[in-house]
Amino acid sequence: MLDTIYDVIVIGAGPAGTQAAVSASHQMRHVLVLHSGKVSFSRGRAYWSKSVEIEDAPVFPGIIGPNFAKELMKWMESRPVVEFKLGDEQRKAGIDIKDGLVTKLTKKDDVFVLEASTSTLKKDNSIQLEQFTSRTVVVASGFDDKWPDIEFQPDENRLYKQYATVFRYAGNRKGWHVCIRCDGHLHVNEHLALLGVGDYIYEAAIGAQDFTEEITILTNGRPHGMSPHILNQLEERNIDIIETGIKRHIGEKTDLLGFEMMDGTELFFHGFLVDEGLIPNTKFLSGWDYQKDDEGLIIANEDMQMLDSEGNPIPGLYAAGDIISGERNLIATAFALGQEAGLSASDSLRKWHYPNS
Ligand SMILES: Cc1cc2nc3c(=O)[nH]c(=O)nc-3n(C[C@H](O)[C@H](O)[C@H](O)COP(=O)(O)OP(=O)(O)OC[C@H]3O[C@@H](n4cnc5c(N)ncnc54)[C@H](O)[C@@H]3O)c2cc1C
């Protein structure tokens, strides 16, 4: 693999990474997409819309998450690598796709070196690491949602095992939602439970008012963390806050119906939204001097170029999608940012530019 220096390596195959790859290959660049879906169970956020149809994404009306991920893959596969000659130079254009969880990103002599774990992690299997090189990189690895710690098994170290019960209900029409803007329309005038504390859940409550006035905030045993000013506003709107811990889910197959609380009471709702924050997928950037916000989301300029702590663009390093600070965490936004990043990375590889004087 090290013989090939790609023009662009894209990390992540959600809408942002897919669009970045397609846009760069459309400009005759040789692109490699590394995505962790099959080797790590980190499959991208849209994947978790398991039975809820995604209604507001361009081109894919009424698709569910796992099918959306497959369609994105097909779109990239429709641009296989071809060889062509530009002037006297032999070049390649198109997209190679590889399963791989990127674990480390370094730069040596103007070339990025990406280390990725490329085989499925299994008990007793040693990690298989491979290296890939490129002239530019687009980080489109998104973030993982934090899930509620109800019936959580801290002794299990694999994410999906830790949250086995939560994941049964996650992303279903009648289950855990994580995006009020995406799924609020399923619960118009219904009773919504919002789980979380502080600013996160307050903002979810503000969003929920577009769909219903029946809202209850559950903190799962923690102090609510909201100021008196905010509490007054919630009281005026008849939004209850329940600070009792939650003992277990009450559900039927994949439908979530309510909770048994630590005090023995049972609460039932029509819809459930959790906002406990996020985990940015950026471990591989450890050691890089780059700007990020308090949640760890990347701060980029208008060309989607990452910035160092002094505000200077980092040559060759771009980012797009949910991983970008201050943008809406939605599919159409991810496509738009992905296109900008893919084209900017491609433009940076041109041989000549406007003269300086
Ligand atoms: C349940 C749910 C429902 C949603 N519904 C809607 C909706 O209806 N409408 C809407 O517009 N938005 C919706 N969203 C939001 C939408 O899914 C995200 O905004 C969008 O997927 C972000 O795209 P992205 O490409 O930035 O990141 P993601 O889609 O999260 O993709 C990230 C990619 O990076 C890969 N990756 C992560 N780490 C690594 C690594 N180290 N190495 C290699 N690859 C890595 C993952 O495998 C994945 O391919 C929903 C989200 C959820 C969770």
Side-chain angles (χ1 to χ4, degrees):
M1 275 299 165
L2 279 177
D3 295 345
T4 305
I5 300 179
Y6 285 92
D7 293 322
V8 185
I9 289 185
V10 177
I11 306 174
T18 302
Q19 179 71 65
V22 168
S23 292
S25 77
H26 192 213
Q27 304 309 308
M28 309 306 282
R29 301 302 178 201
H30 189 196
V31 180
L32 172 67
V33 176
L34 288 166
H35 71 103
S36 62
K38 286 191 194 148
V39 294
S40 82
F41 291 95
S42 173
R43 292 166 192 263
R45 288 192 80 225
Y47 176 85
W48 286 106
S49 203
K50 288 190 303 201
S51 73
V52 179
E53 294 179 348
I54 299 167
E55 296 190 19
D56 57 341
V59 194
F60 306 98
I63 197 162
I64 56 166
N67 293 345
F68 179 61
K70 274 189 207 149
E71 289 302 320
L72 293 178
M73 205 52 74
K74 277 196 223 158
W75 189 27
M76 290 193 289
E77 284 163 359
S78 73
R79 307 196 66 87
V81 176
V82 291
E83 296 209 20
F84 70 104
K85 229 173 166 194
L86 189 68
D88 291 336
E89 208 182 318
Q90 195 66 30
R91 290 191 180 193
K92 285 184 181 174
I95 306 175
D96 282 327
I97 308 168
K98 173 100 188 155
D99 295 327
L101 174 80
V102 176
T103 50
K104 204 163 156 194
L105 175 69
T106 50
K107 198 172 187 188
K108 202 171 171 244
D109 304 332
D110 284 344
V111 172
F112 289 96
V113 181
L114 291 90
E115 184 185 84
S117 154
T118 52
S119 64
T120 312
L121 291 181
K122 282 196 189 125
K123 215 176 162 203
D124 305 328
N125 257 16
S126 56
I127 291 182
Q128 185 183 324
L129 291 174
E130 289 182 57
Q131 285 196 335
F132 305 89
T133 50
S134 69
R135 298 159 72 200
T136 63
V137 169
V138 175
V139 177
S141 44
F143 59 76
D144 285 333
D145 292 284
K146 284 189 191 160
W147 296 94
D149 64 352
I150 307 165
E151 294 174 283
F152 169 81
Q153 298 160 271
D155 50 319
E156 299 281 358
N157 55 14
R158 298 286 290 276
L159 188 73
Y160 74 104
K161 282 201 172 163
Q162 279 177 355
Y163 290 104
T165 314
V166 175
F167 281 0
R168 182 184 329 150
Y169 302 113
N172 294 318
R173 277 190 83 81
K174 180 118 190 48
W176 282 116
H177 305 294
V178 289
C179 170
I180 189 70
R181 240 178 234 288
C182 307
D183 301 338
H185 67 101
L186 298 170
H187 299 292
V188 173
N189 287 321
E190 292 189 346
H191 192 174
L192 268 185
L194 310 182
L195 192 144
V197 289
D199 291 349
Y200 280 118
I201 215 61
Y202 172 63
E203 278 165 29
I206 290 183
Q209 69 180 295
D210 295 338
F211 311 102
T212 184
E213 292 183 352
E214 266 195 278
I215 299 169
T216 300
I217 292 176
L218 305 175
T219 70
N220 193 16
R222 295 160 297 176
H224 54 67
M226 288 178 245
S227 66
H229 194 56
I230 285 176
L231 287 178
N232 280 346
Q233 193 194 34
L234 295 181
E235 203 174 320
E236 276 168 28
R237 305 271 158 210
N238 292 321
I239 297 177
D240 281 342
I241 301 177
I242 297 176
E243 289 183 321
T244 316
I246 301 173
K247 191 168 170 198
R248 65 174 189 96
H249 296 87
I250 301 172
E252 230 174 52
K253 293 187 179 161
T254 55
D255 284 353
L256 179 58
L257 308 175
F259 305 110
E260 182 187 330
M261 310 300 281
M262 290 295 183
D263 62 8
T265 54
E266 291 186 343
L267 298 176
F268 294 91
F269 302 94
H270 300 106
F272 304 83
L273 181 120
V274 54
D275 197 342
E276 296 277 29
L278 56 89
I279 307 163
N281 294 324
T282 48
K283 273 194 195 146
F284 53 85
L285 286 173
S286 149
W288 282 83
D289 169 32
Y290 70 99
Q291 286 194 20
K292 53 183 183 247
D293 67 15
D294 293 345
E295 291 182 296
L297 298 177
I298 294 171
I299 297 173
N301 67 12
E302 65 280 7
D303 295 326
M304 306 318 296
Q305 197 160 10
M306 289 176 58
L307 305 169
D308 67 19
S309 53
E310 300 197 333
N312 300 314
I314 304 173
L317 200 48
Y318 300 82
D322 273 7
I323 197 61
I324 296 293
S325 170
E327 297 287 347
R328 293 189 190 281
N329 299 139
L330 291 167
I331 289 166
T333 308
F335 277 127
L337 299 179
Q339 181 165 62
E340 193 59 49
L343 292 180
S344 297
S346 170
D347 291 354
S348 74
L349 295 170
R350 288 173 177 158
K351 275 193 188 157
W352 52 276
H353 301 263
Y354 286 108
N356 285 334
S357 55

